Structure formats: C-alpha cells, structure tokens
Amino acid sequence: MEVKNKTMYHIHTPNEYDKLWQEGNILYIDNNFLSESGLLMQYFNTNVRCSDGSLASLQGYLKDCLVQGIENVDPKMIEALFKDAYRIIYNTNRMKCEGALELIRQEKFKLYPSRLHSIWVTDKDNLDFWLDTLSGSEVFELCLTGNLFKTSDIYIPNNNLCMYQAMEIAEDYWNPTFTKEAEEKKEYLFQGKALIKRKCRK
C-alpha cells in the first residue's frame, strides 16, 4: 500500500550502512538498495579465514581432517572448524529461505517490494515484541513515504524444509492470512523515502 509521512520503526543491527543511520538523514530505498538479506545473497560463500589472512574453502579443511584422522587434529582447530561450519550452515539456511521467498515474489507477486531490496520496519504496537526477538538494539523512528507491505513472520519458511517445500510456504508470506498469531508477529517491508526522525533507544 502507498503511504505518506507514516511513522514506523526500524530495529538496526550493525552492518555496512551504519554511517547512514543518523538522525535527520534521508534514505532512498529502491531496487538498487541491498538489505541484510540482499547482502547475504550477493556475497555468500563457504570460505573460512586462514591464520595468514587468506580465504580457503571449508570443504578442503574438512577433507584434510578426515584424511589425517580427527584424533590427529589440534582440538582448537576442530573447535574453529565447528564454529565456521555452524556459521556457513546457518547462512545456507537463510539463503534457502530468502531464495524461496524471492522466487515466489518474482513469479506471483512482482508488485510487492523484495526482501532483498527493502528495509524492515514495524509499528509501535509490535515494537516490544521485535526487540525481544531480534538481536539489534538501536531503534529508529522513521517517517515513510512510499510502498509499505504488511505480512507476518509466521509465514517465513523454516530450516527443516527442502527448497520445494520452502517455496510452497513462501506463497503465504506474500498472501498472508492475519490470524491472531500472525498479527502478533506482523512485519513490514518498505521501499521509498525514509526520513530518520530520531533514535529512540540504543
């Protein structure tokens, strides 16, 4: 839906846009903007950082461990590999989810703003819920003019689904039914002009 000077809230997590999130700044969110999900999709890889600062594939390290035998690998190395494997699997699941949502949007709901090129916002009613749910701690009050799409977090595909199943669930995200639970976990995507009115809390 089109909105003009509508007050909404954004919970900011640290990313490459930190310098933009200042009171009084105006953000223009269009299809050239990359959200956190958009950045993940564009720069995702399975590399790990080596001790000399270079990048190498996690697969290669795991293969080396299997060849030489786990019992012969430094325990600190195993712990580091587990942490890297967790991070990569976590991001892979996010990629699957975002990919399913974007494919269905492009196929059936092209007029709706993409999660890859939008900012996420919430209203005042749900602000406390999202502060308890998300890791970000900086809250900004925004004045929005542009395209605002309302949906619900309950329709985001979960990690246990294959890509085909995730795409089936994704259709509900773009065509939500607002049950009581869906209202309690509602979220919005926005494209357009966003004036940062003030930082509410840090």
Side-chain angles (χ1 to χ4, degrees):
M1 80 182 145
E2 289 296 318
V3 296
K4 185 174 182 179
N5 298 328
K6 185 171 181 63
T7 298
M8 299 291 283
Y9 299 87
H10 176 76
I11 300 173
H12 181 65
T13 53
N15 60 33
E16 67 177 44
Y17 299 119
D18 289 349
K19 291 182 180 178
L20 296 177
W21 287 93
Q22 305 292 330
E23 293 181 18
N25 279 358
I26 296 176
L27 307 179
Y28 293 95
I29 313 300
D30 59 19
N31 287 332
N32 295 313
F33 174 83
L34 286 175
S35 65
E36 185 181 348
S37 297
L39 290 168
L40 172 68
M41 294 285 281
Q42 182 159 311
Y43 296 108
F44 175 78
N45 62 59
T46 59
N47 292 340
V48 294
R49 183 72 62 182
C50 303
S51 57
D52 64 0
S54 63
L55 292 173
S57 171
L58 176 67
Q59 181 182 355
Y61 277 111
L62 292 175
K63 182 179 180 182
D64 290 344
C65 289
L66 292 171
V67 168
Q68 61 183 308
I70 297 295
E71 67 279 1
N72 298 317
V73 180
D74 183 340
K76 289 183 178 178
M77 177 70 159
I78 293 177
E79 182 180 358
L81 288 172
F82 264 89
K83 287 179 179 177
D84 281 325
Y86 173 84
R87 172 181 55 82
I88 290 168
I89 292 170
Y90 175 82
N91 285 333
T92 301
N93 279 326
R94 286 189 60 201
M95 283 270 294
K96 177 181 63 179
C97 168
E98 296 297 344
L101 287 163
E102 182 62 11
L103 285 169
I104 293 300
R105 187 196 70 82
Q106 290 181 5
E107 182 181 320
K108 298 185 177 181
F109 304 97
K110 286 184 178 179
L111 296 180
Y112 294 162
S114 168
R115 285 173 56 88
L116 309 182
H117 305 288
S118 301
I119 60 170
W120 178 99
V121 293
T122 188
D123 55 25
K124 193 170 186 178
D125 293 341
N126 282 58
L127 186 55
D128 288 336
F129 166 79
W130 285 113
L131 280 170
D132 289 339
T133 303
L134 301 176
S135 59
S137 58
E138 291 185 335
V139 180
F140 293 91
E141 182 180 318
L142 308 177
C143 180
L144 304 181
T145 298
N147 186 11
L148 187 66
F149 173 70
K150 178 183 175 182
T151 185
S152 178
D153 178 74
I154 70 168
Y155 298 119
I156 290 181
N158 67 46
N159 294 340
N160 299 325
L161 303 176
C162 70
M163 187 63 171
Y164 176 78
Q165 293 168 321
M167 289 175 67
E168 286 187 324
I169 297 297
E171 189 158 345
D172 292 332
Y173 182 85
W174 299 112
N175 187 29
T177 299
F178 281 99
T179 61
K180 182 180 179 182
E181 182 186 8
E183 279 288 343
E184 289 172 350
K185 298 180 180 180
K186 66 182 181 290
E187 62 182 38
Y188 299 82
L189 303 176
F190 175 76
Q191 283 188 326
K193 175 183 172 183
L195 168 64
I196 303 173
K197 292 171 68 174
R198 64 189 180 99
K199 182 187 286 188
C200 304
R201 49 180 111 168
K202 183 177 180 180

